[in-house]
Amino acid sequence: MYELTNLTKTYETKRGTISALNNVTLSIPTGQMVAIQGPTGGGKSTLLQMLGALERPTSGTVALGDDVLSAMPDARLAEIRARTIGFIFQGFNLIPTLTAQENVESALAPLGIARTERIRRATEALTKVGLGERLNHHPMELSGGQQQRVAIARALVKEPSVLLADEPTGNLDEQTRDEIMALLEGLWRDEGLTLIIVTHDSAVAKRAERRILLKRGVVTEKK
Amino acid sequence: MFGTYLYRELSNRRKQTAIVASGMALAIALVMIVNGVAAGVRDAQSAVLASIYGVGTDITVTTEPAIPPEGEQEQRQQPRFEFGADDGTTQDGTTALSQSRLVSAVGSTTFDSTALNTAAGIANVAAATATLTLNNVSFSGEIPNGGTSSAPDSEPGSAPEGGRTGPDGAGGSAFSVDTFTVTGIDVGGESVGPLTSVELVDGRSFDDGDVDANVVILDVDFATTSALNTGDTLEIGGEEFEVIGTVTSVSADATTASNTYVPLNTAQRVSGIEGQISTIYVQAVSSTEIATVQSSLQAALPDSTVKTQEDLASSVSGSLSTASDLVGKLGTWLSIIVLAAAFLISVLFTTSGVARRTREFGTLKAIGWSNGAVVRQVASESLVQGAIGGLVGVALGLVGIAAINLAAPVLSANPAVAAGVGAGGGPGGGRFGEAATTTVAATDVALQIPFTFGIIGIAVALAILGGLIAGAFGGWRAARLRPAEALRSVA
């Protein structure tokens, strides 16, 4: 369960101070599927980075279960990201020189898992997302939808409790978007994940149990 | 994962790997060749110097020639031959005269032999020995009967009365002057000094019973041109010497220091330079003590010139010296510049690679890779690129060294011999004045670069250093990447 209390994040720029999040207090129960919507520059990605232990707040706290992320050292945050949180990015963010299987394996490397076990789990994860036949393909040899499936497999292979997706269908056509969303929904249900999706797309947001609107750094619940 | 990722990165970024490795290879090869040539030149200098000063000599002690007192200049610089009215043998109206003198070599200065005891008593001196360098000048000739001078009323060199033809075929006289170098050797002190750089070809070396004996060891070339063998006799300073052996230089590139070697006591007695020596050869207990011993010697023998091998090497002129200068200055600087350029290229490519891969490293950090794992990845890529460059560089360097050794460029060396130190001039047979030039021996040395694992070690160490420097810069940059900023910057 996520607990965000009075969370504020500001950035200093040449044009002055930008307030990305403004005193956000939010609770997300374990296993919930949440969509975060809002205009560009509203603070959606910043909020996702706080949830993903990638960024520290200027003030306030972020807690994931018993772990207060905002107060942890970098090394411990890296450990939590390695074990507990899975990420999916709009641009897929696959490593171009590695094959699909190796990309998925890269998420297991920080856990110190033996190579044979890594290969087994990566193969299983790719098969689960429908890419069992594309294990040795490089990202450039895959379509956008397939690349996002590899990214999903990479996020899920370590069996995280939280899956954070930043515009996961932003670079995909409608049909592929629906396929990816169907896949994510299926995994959410089957794995019992907490799934938090940042999206501009209302069609994607409507699939979520809960919708949060983030405007100028302020959270508003959407019915 | 680490190995797979490393292999994939290097093989998929072949162009960058090739450029970095090529730069490193070029630098490494150049460093190897310059180092090798420097070692070859040093060896050549050592060979030339060892032929004169002997193997193992660290320091020489001599005295600078001083301007002789008024009236003694003529006497000291030129041997004087005096014949009595009854000297020589007369046959067919011609008198044959012959005389040899053993004199101090031109340009050399002698000093008291007690200095040897002083030198030997200095701390950290392992061995010390003394030599006396001399020239044997032989005068021989034939003059028409009637004396050693022309008639008072005749022109010098004109034919005597009666129209007789003299030895020169025109009624005059014929003379020849032969010169060869003689080095007086401390019979018991062979662990250092000129005889350490020669090996026996025939006969025997000196033993303790030869201290005052009229025995001589010949340079093999001198023996050949003089048609002398072991057991023959040779006149030195007007006395008969038994040839007990012949020697040759241990170096194929250099001649021996002297035409002939005689016991020191004998040399002093026959030349009339009793109790005098011209050079002391000193060996320090270790190379680290040479400077200390040099200082102590200079303090104990303030009127002497104390030189180390390094000082002596600087006295070698000719193309060997030019090569040494070229390697020492241009070669070293060129190596440093190319090496610095290779390091810089490696650093720039690595840091720009990190900048280009910001999203990649940001993603890895986002999925849980630690800073250390990312830094290790970046540093390892640089290290492997450096190592590849090092291997190619070693191969290139070895090819370059082999090519130079095959070409074996010949360098000439003209050691400016310290006063009092003999050098093997050409075998005897010169004329008056030639003795002055025999103190400088011109030697051709074929440059050979020694193959040592040390050179390869230096090359590999430099390649690793280059990789580490580039890796450190790249790793530092990668470590500073915060995952959120990295992902935001490419969003």
Side-chain angles (χ1 to χ4, degrees):
Chain A
M1 181 178 188
Y2 271 113
E3 282 291 344
L4 282 65
T5 311
N6 300 326
L7 195 66
T8 296
K9 179 68 182 177
T10 56
Y11 295 105
E12 298 296 330
T13 68
K14 288 176 184 173
R15 284 173 287 179
T17 303
I18 294 173
S19 180
L21 294 174
N22 193 3
N23 211 27
V24 172
T25 297
L26 189 66
S27 182
I28 302 173
T30 302
Q32 193 170 55
M33 181 176 173
V34 180
I36 301 172
Q37 286 185 283
T40 301
K44 302 185 300 294
S45 293
T46 303
L47 179 60
L48 201 70
Q49 285 168 356
M50 297 287 173
L51 296 170
L54 295 174
E55 189 71 282
R56 292 176 188 280
T58 308
S59 64
T61 58
V62 182
L64 175 59
D66 295 332
D67 296 320
V68 181
L69 304 181
S70 47
M72 283 182 171
D74 286 349
R76 177 79 181 114
L77 291 180
E79 202 179 315
I80 286 178
R81 289 196 298 268
R83 294 186 185 282
T84 314
I85 303 169
F87 278 99
I88 301 169
F89 305 96
Q90 180 179 358
F92 323 132
N93 289 21
L94 299 177
I95 294 167
T97 54
L98 299 181
T99 64
Q101 181 189 291
E102 289 161 353
N103 263 288
V104 176
E105 270 189 71
S106 69
L108 298 175
L111 302 177
I113 294 170
R115 185 167 182 266
T116 47
E117 177 64 8
R118 284 203 315 264
I119 292 171
R120 188 192 67 74
R121 285 172 65 170
T123 306
E124 193 179 289
L126 282 166
T127 305
K128 197 180 277 185
V129 299
L131 289 176
E133 306 296 316
R134 306 288 175 127
L135 301 178
N136 294 317
H137 284 63
H138 283 84
M140 278 181 66
E141 299 166 331
L142 300 171
S143 69
Q146 288 171 327
Q147 287 187 48
Q148 195 58 297
R149 284 169 188 268
V150 174
I152 292 168
R154 181 178 63 186
L156 295 175
V157 72
K158 58 193 175 190
E159 298 170 354
S161 57
V162 176
L163 185 59
L164 304 177
D166 190 359
E167 300 279 6
T169 57
N171 284 355
L172 305 174
D173 58 47
E174 277 187 24
Q175 188 188 337
T176 312
R177 176 198 68 190
D178 292 341
E179 286 173 12
I180 292 295
M181 281 314 299
L183 176 66
L184 285 174
E185 276 180 300
L187 290 168
W188 166 62
R189 280 198 195 91
D190 296 345
E191 311 287 338
L193 295 167
T194 301
L195 176 60
I196 302 170
I197 302 173
V198 165
T199 183
H200 276 111
D201 191 337
S202 295
V204 171
K206 279 176 187 169
R207 291 170 178 259
E209 286 181 297
R210 181 182 173 192
R211 292 162 72 186
I212 295 170
L213 183 66
L214 195 57
K215 209 171 179 179
R216 291 182 183 174
V218 178
V219 166
T220 315
E221 291 280 344
K222 248 183 159 183
K223 300 290 179 187
Chain B
M1 191 68 229
F2 168 75
T4 307
Y5 191 16
L6 185 65
Y7 171 73
R8 295 268 189 233
E9 282 302 320
L10 293 176
S11 57
N12 280 284
R13 299 182 204 277
R14 285 196 198 104
K15 199 173 172 184
Q16 178 182 325
T17 303
I19 291 171
V20 172
S22 301
M24 198 66 81
L26 190 67
I28 297 300
L30 198 63
V31 168
M32 276 183 72
I33 290 170
V34 169
N35 264 284
V37 170
V41 168
R42 271 198 304 275
D43 284 357
Q45 282 179 328
S46 295
V48 171
L49 290 171
S51 70
I52 300 163
Y53 300 100
V55 176
T57 299
D58 297 317
I59 296 168
T60 59
V61 180
T62 56
T63 52
E64 292 293 341
I67 299 169
E70 195 70 30
E72 288 184 24
Q73 292 184 12
E74 190 76 10
Q75 182 189 342
R76 289 190 63 154
Q77 290 182 3
Q78 293 182 1
R80 185 175 175 82
F81 298 95
E82 293 174 346
F83 296 97
D86 299 327
D87 285 347
T89 54
T90 303
Q91 192 176 2
D92 298 333
T94 301
T95 299
L97 294 167
S98 176
Q99 202 173 91
S100 69
R101 289 285 180 87
L102 192 55
V103 295
S104 188
V106 173
S108 78
T109 310
T110 59
F111 53 101
D112 200 289
S113 60
T114 54
L116 176 61
N117 292 333
T118 306
I122 298 281
N124 296 316
V125 168
T129 191
T131 62
L132 177 61
T133 307
L134 303 164
N135 279 338
N136 184 81
V137 185
S138 298
F139 175 93
S140 60
E142 293 177 328
I143 57 172
N145 217 3
T148 55
S149 61
S150 302
D153 57 347
S154 63
E155 290 296 316
S158 62
E161 278 182 31
R164 270 202 313 249
T165 54
D168 68 341
S173 306
F175 307 103
S176 69
V177 178
D178 289 340
T179 306
F180 58 84
T181 51
V182 178
T183 300
I185 297 285
D186 184 1
V187 169
E190 287 183 26
S191 64
V192 63
L195 277 191
T196 55
S197 62
V198 299
E199 59 188 7
L200 208 58
V201 175
D202 185 37
R204 66 173 178 87
S205 188
F206 295 121
D207 58 34
D208 292 342
D210 295 326
V211 173
D212 293 307
N214 279 17
V215 289
V216 61
I217 294 173
L218 306 181
D219 167 72
V220 72
D221 292 334
F222 175 77
T224 303
T225 53
S226 303
L228 290 167
N229 294 304
T230 303
D232 291 346
T233 56
L234 172 68
E235 187 181 318
I236 300 174
E239 296 190 18
E240 294 292 319
F241 279 69
E242 182 194 352
V243 177
I244 61 168
T246 56
V247 291
T248 187
S249 172
V250 291
S251 167
D253 297 322
T255 57
T256 59
S258 179
N259 298 136
T260 66
Y261 301 91
V262 300
L264 179 60
N265 284 7
T266 308
Q268 290 170 333
R269 174 176 50 79
V270 175
S271 64
I273 311 175
E274 299 278 359
Q276 295 286 299
I277 53 176
S278 43
T279 307
I280 298 173
Y281 297 79
V282 177
Q283 189 177 44
V285 290
S286 75
S287 59
T288 55
E289 300 294 342
I290 292 173
T292 313
V293 171
Q294 184 186 22
S295 302
S296 302
L297 281 168
Q298 194 65 75
L301 303 167
D303 296 331
S304 303
T305 303
V306 182
K307 288 189 173 180
T308 62
Q309 284 280 2
E310 200 176 319
D311 301 329
L312 298 170
S314 65
S315 70
V316 176
S317 60
S319 58
L320 179 58
S321 171
T322 309
S324 177
D325 286 348
L326 209 61
V327 170
K329 293 170 186 165
L330 180 66
T332 303
W333 279 110
L334 194 64
S335 297
I336 290 170
I337 289 167
V338 173
L339 203 60
F343 282 14
L344 191 66
I345 288 170
S346 187
V347 167
L348 288 177
F349 268 100
T350 305
T351 50
S352 69
V354 171
R356 200 174 51 248
R357 293 161 70 188
T358 299
R359 179 205 292 259
E360 188 174 316
F361 295 132
T363 304
L364 288 173
K365 288 188 177 186
I367 65 173
W369 280 47
S370 65
N371 246 344
V374 173
V375 169
R376 189 179 60 175
Q377 193 69 40
V378 173
S380 301
E381 288 172 17
S382 299
L383 206 59
V384 172
Q385 283 172 342
I388 292 170
L391 287 176
V392 176
V394 166
L396 277 177
L398 289 176
V399 168
I401 287 171
I404 291 171
N405 283 347
L406 206 62
V410 175
L411 304 170
S412 71
N414 300 91
V417 179
V421 177
R431 290 170 292 189
F432 268 131
E434 192 166 283
T437 59
T438 57
T439 54
V440 176
T443 306
D444 285 342
V445 185
L447 180 67
Q448 285 295 300
I449 300 177
F451 172 82
T452 62
F453 285 103
I455 290 180
I456 293 180
I458 289 170
V460 171
L462 284 172
I464 290 171
L465 180 69
L468 281 174
I469 290 173
F473 274 98
W476 172 72
R477 196 152 177 188
R480 287 180 65 211
L481 282 176
R482 295 193 66 80
E485 286 169 12
L487 294 170
R488 194 165 41 241
S489 70
V490 294

